[in-house]
Amino acid sequence: MDFKYTDTQLEIAKMIKDFANKEIRPYMMEWDEAQTFPVDLFRKMGELGLMGVLVPTEYGGSGLGYFEYVTVVSEISKVCSSIGLSTAAHNSLCTGHILYFGNEEQKKKYLPKLATAEWIGAWGLTEANTGSDAGNMRCTATRDGNDWILNGTKNWITHGKSGDVAVVLARTGEPRAKNNVTAFIVERGTPGFSAGKKENKLGMRASETTELVFDNCRISDAQRMGEVGEGFKQAMKVLDGGRISIAALSLGIAKGSYEAALKYSKERQQFDQPISNFQAIAFKLADMVAKIEAAEALIYQAADMKNRGEKMTKESAMAKYYASEICVQIATDAVQIFGGYGYTKDFPVEKFYRDSKLCTIGEGTSEIQKLVISRDILSQ
């Protein structure tokens, strides 16, 4: 595998840097403090092709691969990880699910709107009492002629209030039964479909997280994706790619934290010299860069396998697990290098520190990643 960045990746990184300095950096703390989800920003990102990175050009997307996608998510997250998280969720979950498992009619209807961010997408799997235990979900879909009636609640849903369309996983069989979940596409405005509580979060505060509520929500069978009972298998395949998303998000946070700490350590003077001259600081920086490069290697290994259509469940889990854990460590060390200033909102590492923890939880906790990895290696 060639680890050298392609010309396309370098061009994307420059474009995002210029865009972020103008459209994100000046406002990100304001959005963070007010928990504002900046929908208009994502429309602008859609015009740049950043909201349909993996969508083929025939459906209005950028038609790029996972190397470019990792670049998009990580470069945005180096500036604001809230915006990086929403970019990842829109691209890999809602849009990705329809791309991989929608029929041609569904793809033509939804992908052009999602790829341009005319519509924002949400994805509903998790419930209050069934986080990792998704096979025991309580949100149900009951067949009624040529319709389905959805009842129940999803939570921790990115874009749950502002999203224009959601892919929803609902139980269509008995609890714990095999193949008991089916995927549906539900549009905002459908009677019986609403947003519930908006979460007041530690970090990622500009990335909206709410409940989805279904109260006798009637949808046509044309909104079903795939066969009845295939939803959970579909979700697991979507999450394979989603783990690369969160790994890329983690990589961006780690790089942003490291670059801020490196710059500060060269500028901050103590005892008449930059603090980077002191071994205690220099060794922290050495640890940071080594962890970043190891995480990047795992991420691009998984991305390479995904591009080639190979099974990469273990590899994406390893990338997500390692990258998310080291991004917390690096953000923590960055705050330590900044000292008291790192604990204030005047410097970027405070926000990276708060945002980083979500990466070890979202789209499968670190413990779930270890479960996925261990099952794979023990089954061989």
Side-chain angles (χ1 to χ4, degrees), residues 16 26 33 38 59 77 80 89 206 210 243 252 317 335 338 362 368 373:
I16 289 173
E33 292 284 342
Y59 300 116
S77 303
C80 180
T210 73
R243 286 167 182 148
V335 171
F338 272 79
I368 287 295
I373 296 163

Side-chain angles (χ1 to χ4, degrees), residues 27 48 57 68 82 101 119 127 148 152 213 236 256 280 293 308 317 337 348 374:
Y27 314 107
L48 295 176
T57 55
E68 293 81 11
S82 288
F101 298 105
W119 281 15
E127 299 179 7
W148 293 86
V213 179
M236 293 304 100
E293 294 204 10
R308 289 189 276 115
I337 289 172
S374 62

Side-chain angles (χ1 to χ4, degrees), residues 2-278:
D2 185 359
F3 284 88
K4 184 179 179 181
Y5 297 134
T6 65
D7 289 342
T8 303
Q9 286 178 278
L10 294 173
E11 290 171 6
I12 289 171
K14 184 182 185 306
M15 176 187 72
I16 289 173
K17 181 178 180 180
D18 293 341
F19 177 81
N21 283 335
K22 180 182 177 183
E23 301 287 351
I24 300 176
R25 198 181 297 277
Y27 314 107
M28 63 183 191
M29 291 308 296
E30 177 185 334
W31 296 333
D32 182 83
E33 292 284 342
Q35 295 200 81
T36 299
F37 177 60
V39 176
D40 289 344
L41 173 75
F42 291 95
R43 310 280 192 233
K44 294 177 182 178
M45 290 169 61
E47 293 174 3
L48 295 176
L50 301 177
M51 301 300 281
V53 180
L54 302 165
V55 175
T57 55
E58 64 188 281
Y59 300 116
S62 298
L64 298 173
Y66 265 80
F67 285 4
E68 293 81 11
Y69 178 57
V70 169
T71 300
V72 168
V73 175
S74 61
E75 289 295 323
I76 293 171
S77 303
K78 279 171 63 176
V79 178
C80 180
S81 28
S82 288
I83 304 305
L85 173 62
S86 280
T87 303
H90 175 93
N91 273 279
S92 72
L93 297 180
C94 178
T95 305
H97 201 137
I98 296 172
L99 174 62
Y100 296 129
F101 298 105
N103 58 37
E104 193 61 24
E105 183 179 347
Q106 291 165 342
K107 289 179 183 180
K108 288 180 177 178
K109 181 177 181 180
Y110 294 108
L111 290 180
K113 292 182 178 180
L114 290 165
T116 57
E118 178 185 345
W119 281 15
I120 301 296
W123 193 71
L125 174 66
T126 305
E127 299 179 7
N129 295 304
T130 57
S132 300
D133 184 19
N136 195 33
M137 64 179 61
R138 298 179 181 177
C139 182
T140 60
T142 305
R143 192 78 181 250
D144 184 23
N146 198 41
D147 293 340
W148 293 86
I149 301 174
L150 275 63
N151 279 291
T153 304
K154 298 289 181 179
N155 73 339
W156 309 114
I157 308 305
T158 306
H159 314 148
K161 180 179 180 181
S162 298
D164 300 281
V165 62
V167 171
V168 180
L169 286 301
R171 182 165 55 80
T172 49
E174 294 300 315
R176 301 286 184 200
K178 189 176 181 180
N179 301 325
N180 68 342
V181 174
T182 303
F184 300 91
I185 304 172
V186 188
E187 296 181 19
R188 181 69 59 196
T190 302
F193 175 34
S194 62
K197 175 189 175 185
K198 180 178 178 179
E199 302 297 341
N200 185 9
K201 300 177 295 184
L202 168 71
M204 303 290 191
R205 291 168 60 83
S207 180
E208 177 185 276
T209 307
T210 73
E211 293 178 324
L212 296 181
V213 179
F214 300 93
D215 182 10
N216 290 320
C217 176
R218 181 180 291 271
I219 58 173
S220 166
D221 187 55
Q223 299 302 104
R224 170 172 52 83
M225 272 197 292
E227 297 300 321
V228 174
E230 287 185 348
F232 189 74
K233 292 178 181 177
Q234 293 176 8
M236 293 304 100
K237 290 178 181 177
V238 169
L239 285 174
D240 279 348
R243 286 167 182 148
I244 295 177
S245 298
I246 301 301
L249 170 66
S250 303
L251 180 66
I253 294 172
K255 284 186 173 182
S257 301
Y258 163 71
E259 290 175 8
L262 178 65
K263 181 176 183 291
Y264 181 81
S265 72
K266 292 178 177 180
E267 297 170 348
R268 172 69 168 170
Q269 295 273 330
Q270 290 289 277
F271 304 101
D272 303 318
Q273 58 185 309
I275 62 172
S276 58
N277 286 356
F278 296 106

